[in-house]
Amino acid sequence: MAAPVSAGTRLQPQPLDPPARLRWYGVVVVALAFVPFVAPADVAATATRILALALLAVSLDLLVGVGGMPSLGQAAPFGVGVYAAGLTARELTPFAPVQVLVAVAAGALLSALLGWLVVRSRGTYLLMLSLALAELVHTLAGKWDALTGGTNGLVGVPALTFAPGGEPVRLAGLVYWWVLAVAVVGFLVVVVVSRSAFGRSLRGIRDNEARMSSLGYSTFRVKYTAFVISGAVAGLAGALWMAQTRFASPEDLGFHVSAFALLAVVIGGRGSLWGAVLGAALVGVIRDEFGPQLGGRGPLLLGIAFIAAVYLLPHGFAGLRLRRARTQGHP
Amino acid sequence: MSTLLALDGVSKQYGSLMAVDGVTLGIERGARHALIGPNGAGKSTLFGLIAGTSATTAGTIALAGEDITRRSDSWRARVGVAKTFQHSSLFLSLSVADNIALAAQRLTGHGLRIRTRAAHCPGVAEEVERCLALVGLADRPQVRVSALSHGERRQLEVAVALATRPRLLLLDEPTAGMSAAESGRFVGLVESLPPDVTVLLIEHDLDVVFRLADRISVLHLGKLLADGTPEQVRADEVVQQAYLGSGAARELFLTSPGSP
Amino acid sequence: MLTWLGANYITMIDGVALGVLLFTIALGLSLVFGVMDVLNLAHGALYLIGAYVAVQVLGGGSASLLAFAGAGVLALLIGGLAGAGLSVMTRPVARRGHLDQALLTLGVALVVADLLSAAFGNDVKSIDPPTAFAGSTSLLGDAYPTYRLVVIAVGLLLAIGAYVLIERTRVGALVQASVADAPMVRALGVDTGRLVTGVFAAGGGLAALGGVLGAPILSAYPGLDTRVLILGLVVVVIGGLGSVTGALVGALLIGQVETLGVSLLPTYASFLVFGTMALVLLVRPSGLLATGRSA
């Protein structure tokens, strides 16, 4: 240790100064924008779905990593967003921005309802409650035939358009760019929330809720707001999923979606938003690329990944970077 | 002087145990009021009742004439009751500066602002700097709390409480675990507080008590044993008897340096 | 009212049978949760193991009562071992918080469920009740499957046994004390590690036994694990943590809501489970009969 002052700062990765961070974001986004030029259409389609799941993971990380609310039910606002976008496209307009707005509203509304119950609990109880509520929403989607098409799923969703009454967009690359652009906006929204004064309050609650209360905060309001924002972003991710798949099934609200997002968050490192994106990419590629090769043993792989992540990566990728910095005596 | 805090028959019962037993006590506005008594006397429990972290089983608590007995701890914090914790209660993964900023931004009304960046809250950075300087942590704002020493955490605990700009400051054994130098600095800090801040202090170091307190209450087995100026309490026979059980405490009590 | 009862009492008895099965799930879930604050997401998989044990042992057609009992004992052993294994697995991460432990059990649940579907396929496997109880019994003039009445009887016996064990014995007192304040019990010098493993094993055994009992009614198929897990969680939320009576009351309530709901209001059946849970949470946030902490 060089000086006592650096003792504490070394325990966390050095935050990049804002311009450097922005440059990095820019580089990543530009690199991602090139995917359709270099990859075949089916890869672009996979990449589109992974982008949607990455945004879902980021929305969950706001709850789990920043807010300390370990939700097992993030599939609920996501799936509701998928259905809302699909229904909007089929019944109202395929104009893409409208689908996005409706899905965001639907995700926020659902989270506002569920959050009223979930946010009052903490720890194991919150895990259990969020899971139970999300699964009930899942069951509902399968039963409410008139609205959701039941277990057959929501079919007949038209391709999105970039102008009201315009040409349907069918090129996988164009859909990809649209999804990338919206996902970047969604990601930045979460970054802004996380870095805001509100985000600091949320971290305070994660660390020590009782103390926040004794500082005069209404911790329910802070947590509830975060829950609704997270649900809105998850709904947005659902709209992006629908933009590519043009199909919704009750499984989009299922536990496996929540588990997937949670694994992405854990692998990426809780509280690290870029880590969640990276985790989602990794888990998505493993599931979509290697899963089929194993003869549909995707869940097995997912399960092993969970066990391995818990034992081997307690702090995710972000933790690895931190450990390396420590062993190298990084300033 | 008017009464800021009025306790009337305040009790806390755990099963058959009366942890606090019918305490009636008034704290004057601007007082430096010390609460002393042996371990297990119910001092910290009484603090919890005043701050609202636990509920009374009997009696009323009034702040500036208003009954706050049934109010939550966060409500009391918003009307100016701040408490430090006997065992530091801080935000361990956050930096020293952010710990204070959390208190400051609640006061400036930024706590729920999403469009205000944490690093650019108007008024918060100044408040953080002020409080850090007050407790002597000015050179360590970016250090994580988990890397602080015990004594430093005690100091930060006080800084967080001060950042809420309290009317009534409850300090629960603030100097426990502090070095002599830190403890001395702490006494200076309390002396330098604005006179309209009312301080209620639990303290075992009678040195500190007699340097700071203009009034002392003695709690024993949950009951208020004595209440008066330091001279009155020192001369109180009941108090002396209560302390006879532990000779060391009695000696400390009787031979401590004169009051200010 | 009487005519309504007359029209629906068969459904209601079905509901009691389902409730009793849910109780075998919920009790273990609730105690593991209460004692060591772990959400065991593999609990549904343990039930499914039991159901497939029944399929494996008894799948060939009608089985004797003895074979059935044998399957039950085997499931009890396997479930108990699996539960103990889970307790050992979660111990290294016990200090890391609720999420890590839950994720670990989730990983186990996914692996187990996938291995089971690899071994037994994705079809619904039904088995017949033991021959001795294969027929039906006349119940107020209606024929009712005897086996379901047996399930109710066995389930109630299990409930009474669990109640006596938890409420009337020293071990039970320790379990209750751990639910209320685990650190305190540790401080008193009790080996909570063994206690926790025991509770985990008992919960796992009970769930697997429930799987055997329930196999002739609910069958065995991939996805059943999630269904019973979720219903078990709802029961625990409704009944309250760490309470035998709470688990029983919650299980019987949800059993009624599920069966009566599906029969009377098929469109709104899933709303009803949701609504019941939400209502209980709003009125009694820590459950109907909570003994431990609420959060």
Side-chain angles (χ1 to χ4, degrees), chain C residues 32-98:
Chain C
V32 167
F33 190 162
V35 170
M36 66 176 304
D37 213 6
V38 168
L39 176 57
N40 182 9
L41 293 170
H43 213 73
L46 296 177
Y47 175 93
L48 195 57
I49 288 178
Y52 277 119
V53 164
V55 168
Q56 183 66 33
V57 176
L58 314 163
S62 50
S64 69
L65 189 57
L66 193 66
F68 219 85
V73 171
L74 186 61
L76 201 61
L77 285 176
I78 296 179
L81 276 178
L86 275 172
S87 127
V88 171
M89 278 185 82
T90 50
R91 203 164 298 164
V93 296
R95 297 199 144 270
R96 291 231 304 271
H98 310 108

Side-chain angles (χ1 to χ4, degrees), chain A residues 64 70 72 114 116-117 120-125 127-129 131-133 135-137 139-140 143-144 255-256 259 262 266 270 296-300 302-304 306-307 309-311 313-314, chain C residues 33 37-39 41 89-90 92-93 96 98-100 102-104 106-108 110-111 114-115 117-118 226 229-230 233-234 236-237 241 270-271 273-274 277-278 281-282 285-287 294-295:
Chain A
V64 178
L72 284 174
L114 301 187
W116 194 256
L117 297 171
R120 288 167 205 279
S121 61
R122 48 182 79 83
T124 314
Y125 213 77
L127 283 167
M128 180 170 78
L129 202 54
L131 172 59
L133 288 171
E135 278 301 306
L136 291 170
V137 177
T139 316
L140 208 61
K143 297 254 170 78
W144 199 351
F255 181 48
H256 280 135
L262 206 49
V266 170
R270 271 157 265 188
R297 295 270 81 90
L300 181 68
L302 199 62
I304 293 172
F306 263 113
I307 298 172
V310 170
Y311 282 130
L313 279 176
Chain C
F33 190 162
D37 213 6
V38 168
L39 176 57
L41 293 170
M89 278 185 82
T90 50
V93 296
R96 291 231 304 271
H98 310 108
L99 186 57
D100 285 87
L103 291 181
L104 193 62
L106 170 58
V108 173
L110 288 170
V111 169
D114 199 67
L115 291 178
S117 90
T226 317
L229 174 69
I230 299 303
L233 290 181
V234 172
V236 174
V237 170
L241 283 184
S270 26
F271 281 109
V273 174
F274 176 89
M277 187 170 93
L281 278 175
L282 285 175
S286 53
S294 65

Side-chain angles (χ1 to χ4, degrees), chain B:
Chain B
M1 262 198 199
S2 60
T3 305
L4 177 68
L5 179 75
L7 309 179
D8 186 9
V10 169
S11 302
K12 178 69 179 181
Q13 192 168 4
Y14 293 107
S16 59
L17 174 75
M18 288 297 273
V20 174
D21 192 357
V23 170
T24 298
L25 180 65
I27 311 289
E28 300 296 316
R29 210 177 293 269
R32 302 286 179 265
H33 196 128
L35 195 57
I36 62 172
N39 283 323
K43 305 185 297 290
S44 285
T45 308
L46 184 60
F47 260 32
L49 298 178
I50 297 171
T53 48
S54 65
T56 56
T57 44
T60 59
I61 301 171
L63 185 75
E66 187 181 355
D67 186 348
I68 61 167
T69 316
R70 297 278 159 251
R71 296 290 190 175
S72 69
D73 59 340
S74 61
W75 191 92
R76 296 185 204 192
R78 288 196 288 274
V79 297
V81 180
K83 173 175 180 305
T84 68
F85 289 73
Q86 189 179 4
H87 305 287
S88 297
S89 176
L90 295 161
F91 307 99
L92 290 182
S93 78
L94 302 186
S95 69
V96 167
D98 273 345
N99 268 263
I100 301 173
L102 278 173
Q105 74 180 17
R106 206 274 300 153
L107 213 68
T108 59
H110 291 91
L112 278 162
R113 294 276 182 85
I114 288 164
R115 282 182 301 180
T116 310
R117 281 178 57 189
H120 298 262
C121 275
V124 168
E126 296 77 12
E127 182 69 6
V128 169
E129 223 167 280
R130 183 185 76 90
C131 295
L132 282 177
L134 277 176
V135 300
L137 286 169
D139 55 339
R140 318 199 62 184
Q142 293 311 322
V143 177
R144 252 198 217 217
V145 173
S146 50
L148 290 184
S149 72
H150 178 77
E152 288 170 326
R153 291 189 195 191
R154 303 299 308 159
Q155 289 165 308
L156 180 57
E157 183 80 39
V158 174
V160 170
L162 287 177
T164 66
R165 300 277 177 145
R167 274 201 282 176
L168 173 63
L169 180 58
L170 306 168
L171 300 168
D172 195 346
E173 296 196 31
T175 66
M178 282 189 186
S179 67
E182 287 167 339
S183 179
R185 170 198 276 281
F186 169 78
V187 170
L189 163 65
V190 174
E191 281 170 343
S192 73
L193 287 177
D196 58 329
V197 176
T198 308
V199 178
L200 184 57
L201 166 89
I202 296 177
E203 186 53 65
H204 279 300
D205 185 340
L206 293 172
D207 243 14
V208 173
V209 168
F210 282 104
R211 277 176 65 191
L212 283 178
D214 49 32
R215 198 165 181 93
I216 296 176
S217 300
V218 185
L219 214 57
H220 185 58
L221 297 176
K223 286 198 168 73
L224 187 65
L225 208 59
D227 173 42
T229 63
E231 292 72 27
Q232 288 169 335
V233 169
R234 203 194 291 260
D236 193 304
E237 277 182 27
V238 189
V239 174
Q240 288 188 16
Q241 265 173 14
Y243 270 83
L244 278 177
S246 57
R250 174 173 177 260
E251 207 173 87
L252 248 180
F253 194 69
L254 292 175
T255 60
S256 58
S259 55

Side-chain angles (χ1 to χ4, degrees), chain A residues 212-237:
Chain A
M212 284 296 277
S213 178
S214 75
L215 286 179
Y217 283 88
S218 159
T219 56
F220 174 80
R221 255 180 86 183
V222 177
K223 292 197 293 181
Y224 187 62
T225 308
F227 200 82
V228 174
I229 294 173
S230 166
V233 177
L236 177 63

Side-chain angles (χ1 to χ4, degrees), chain A residues 90-169:
Chain A
R90 201 178 67 181
E91 310 295 338
L92 194 65
T93 167
F95 182 44
V98 177
Q99 294 176 43
V100 161
L101 290 179
V102 172
V104 166
L109 192 67
L110 181 81
S111 290
L113 284 173
L114 301 187
W116 194 256
L117 297 171
V118 171
V119 161
R120 288 167 205 279
S121 61
R122 48 182 79 83
T124 314
Y125 213 77
L126 194 149
L127 283 167
M128 180 170 78
L129 202 54
S130 58
L131 172 59
L133 288 171
E135 278 301 306
L136 291 170
V137 177
H138 172 206
T139 316
L140 208 61
K143 297 254 170 78
W144 199 351
D145 289 358
L147 187 70
T148 64
T151 45
N152 295 327
L154 188 71
V155 291
V157 179
L160 55 85
T161 67
F162 288 153
E167 279 293 302
V169 178

Side-chain angles (χ1 to χ4, degrees), chain A residues 164-183:
Chain A
E167 279 293 302
V169 178
R170 294 191 190 283
L171 275 176
L174 285 178
V175 175
Y176 173 84
W177 277 329
W178 162 250
V179 168
L180 176 62
V182 179

